Amino acid sequence: MPDRPAYPVQLIQPDGRRVFDREHAALVADVGPEQLRALYEDLVVTRRIDIEATALQRQGQLGLWAPMLGQEAAQVGSARALHSDDYVFCSYREHAVAYCRGVHPTELTRLWRGVAHSCWDPSTVNMTNPNIIVGSQGLHATGYAYAAHLDGAEIATIAYFGDGATSQGDIAEALGFAASWSAPVVFFCQNNHWAISSPVRIQSATPIARRAYGYGIPGLQVDGNDVLAVLAVTRQAIARARSGGGPSFIEAITYRIGPHTTADDPTRYRSAAETEEWKRRDPIDRMRKLLEREALWDEAFERRVGAHADEVAHQVRSATIDMPDPAPMALFDHVYATPHPLITQERSEYARYLAGDPGAAAVHQEGVPS
């Protein structure tokens, strides 16, 4: 474990200048001009998706949305470090990760509109759907990783969670099991400084990454608004997991610019000055400044990226508004894996109720005895 103060890994300063870091720069030495531009485009497009979805919720088209504004680099950088056969276990804010994993933008709002129990088919992109139970995905990722190890699959899993989730027992249990059994899992904490209205300073008296040391897991901090640094450290952790080195813990230091969810009012618990300070560290501005410094930026590129982002946002809006409501009888689908007599009875009675049978209405109101 480190015997000296560890500082967050950074490869791009807020003004776009490169940072000399021999170890971590080597991990992204293959990222050339086109890849840098592609990372920038990912950042812009995913922010545009997030802004559009937030607007849709404000207009009554979504029941809820968990904005990721300000956290794009942490998500894009880590997602682009993964292999196609690695498996992602997310929380409820990883919209950019989903986009980078290949989830079609038109699927991102299905759950939030309330027309389905999930957004996408996990088997098509090796990524779970939004998970509302805080911290439980750490256990899921660890169990999946260990099972894959027993099956001989040389893959890694990654569990995304926020600083608030590190106060949950589920994450502690996942870290303990992963360390004991050398499970190939990467614990990726997006420290956005606020667990709803609770600041991170009252959750942990020490940097969150240091919690991993107590379990025998290497942990480090990375500038979560630096997409290149996040890409580098996640590649390192994924390689360690896939080669049998065991778990790793990454704390990406970033900031939630918007509300916790669209049901939250952040002005009630944090100052405008704090938010403005973090806006000056904006991950998209930082990447744009790097491209400008390295002569990779021009107006034609800016227009192309902007047009792409607008088109994706249009797809999200159109698909969301046009999503059909589920058939009422679909309520009984997938409750049990095999036929169940109680579900069969309830399905029949509900069908009669929908058809206007007054007898079924009485049963429906009183409920079915168990």
Side-chain angles (χ1 to χ4, degrees):
M1 297 309 167
D3 56 1
R4 58 184 172 79
Y7 299 96
V9 176
Q10 185 184 75
L11 295 178
I12 310 172
Q13 297 182 51
D15 63 2
R17 288 181 296 169
R18 297 261 190 174
V19 176
F20 179 73
D21 180 331
R22 193 188 309 274
E23 175 188 357
H24 295 100
L27 296 167
V28 290
D30 62 310
V31 179
E34 289 310 307
Q35 291 92 338
L36 290 173
R37 282 184 155 201
L39 287 170
Y40 175 80
E41 187 164 354
D42 284 341
L43 297 173
V44 172
V45 171
T46 53
R47 175 170 292 185
R48 187 70 177 83
I49 290 171
D50 187 55
I51 291 173
E52 193 68 28
T54 301
L56 284 164
Q57 192 283 327
R58 299 306 191 201
Q59 295 161 6
Q61 298 296 336
L62 297 179
L64 190 71
W65 183 253
M68 62 170 192
L69 185 64
Q71 299 180 219
E72 296 87 359
Q75 295 192 20
V76 169
S78 57
R80 290 304 184 194
L82 306 178
H83 299 249
S84 60
D85 56 349
D86 294 330
Y87 212 103
V88 176
F89 292 80
C90 66
S91 68
Y92 42 74
R93 203 184 303 278
E94 280 72 50
H95 317 304
V97 176
Y99 174 82
C100 292
R101 290 299 281 176
V103 173
H104 198 279
T106 59
E107 296 181 299
L108 291 171
T109 59
R110 295 177 69 230
L111 171 68
W112 307 101
R113 188 166 169 83
V115 301
H117 293 300
S118 60
C119 293
W120 56 83
D121 179 356
S123 65
T124 62
V125 292
N126 282 357
M127 177 174 176
T128 60
N129 270 272
N131 179 50
I132 307 301
I133 304 173
V134 177
S136 64
Q137 66 272 25
L139 292 169
H140 305 156
T142 301
Y144 190 100
Y146 184 59
H149 169 71
L150 292 178
D151 287 343
E154 297 179 355
I155 68 164
T157 68
I158 184 169
Y160 287 92
F161 50 91
D163 48 287
T166 64
S167 297
Q168 294 281 16
D170 285 1
I171 294 298
E173 292 165 5
L175 290 168
F177 189 98
S180 296
W181 296 95
S182 195
V185 56
V186 176
F187 295 96
F188 192 93
C189 174
Q190 293 179 81
N191 179 359
N192 65 20
H193 285 77
W194 290 93
I196 309 184
S197 58
S198 297
V200 69
R201 66 178 179 273
I202 68 170
Q203 295 184 70
S204 182
T206 186
I208 291 174
R210 290 190 181 181
R211 290 186 176 184
Y213 303 170
Y215 296 90
I217 296 175
L220 60 73
Q221 292 181 316
V222 62
D223 184 336
N225 286 9
D226 177 348
V227 68
L228 211 54
V230 175
L231 176 64
V233 300
T234 310
R235 278 182 169 182
Q236 188 176 46
I238 290 292
R240 168 184 162 87
R242 290 176 66 95
S243 63
S248 301
F249 191 104
I250 297 170
E251 178 189 358
I253 302 174
T254 182
Y255 194 81
R256 167 171 56 79
I257 297 297
H260 173 71
T261 71
T262 47
D264 171 44
D265 178 7
T267 64
R268 293 172 62 89
Y269 54 80
R270 70 185 187 194
S271 68
E274 178 181 307
T275 305
E276 288 303 315
E277 178 185 352
W278 277 93
K279 284 182 178 179
R280 290 193 288 272
R281 307 176 193 178
D282 184 271
I284 295 180
D285 287 347
R286 184 181 308 199
M287 195 61 176
R288 177 178 56 80
K289 289 172 182 175
L290 172 69
L291 295 178
E292 289 174 342
R293 284 180 175 275
E294 301 189 357
L296 299 174
W297 178 274
D298 55 53
E299 292 184 359
F301 173 66
E302 181 180 17
R303 286 194 300 270
R304 182 180 67 77
V305 171
H308 181 204
D310 287 343
E311 172 56 28
V312 171
H314 174 71
Q315 293 176 14
V316 171
R317 171 168 289 274
S318 298
T320 300
I321 294 174
D322 293 339
M323 284 178 185
D325 292 335
M329 294 304 295
L331 175 69
F332 302 95
D333 295 344
H334 312 301
V335 178
Y336 289 96
T338 57
H340 190 286
L342 179 60
I343 296 299
T344 301
Q345 178 186 355
E346 290 179 343
R347 185 195 302 271
S348 175
E349 289 169 351
Y350 192 54
R352 289 166 52 204
Y353 168 73
L354 293 175
D357 184 332
V363 173
H364 177 71
Q365 291 169 0
E366 295 174 4
V368 178
S370 59

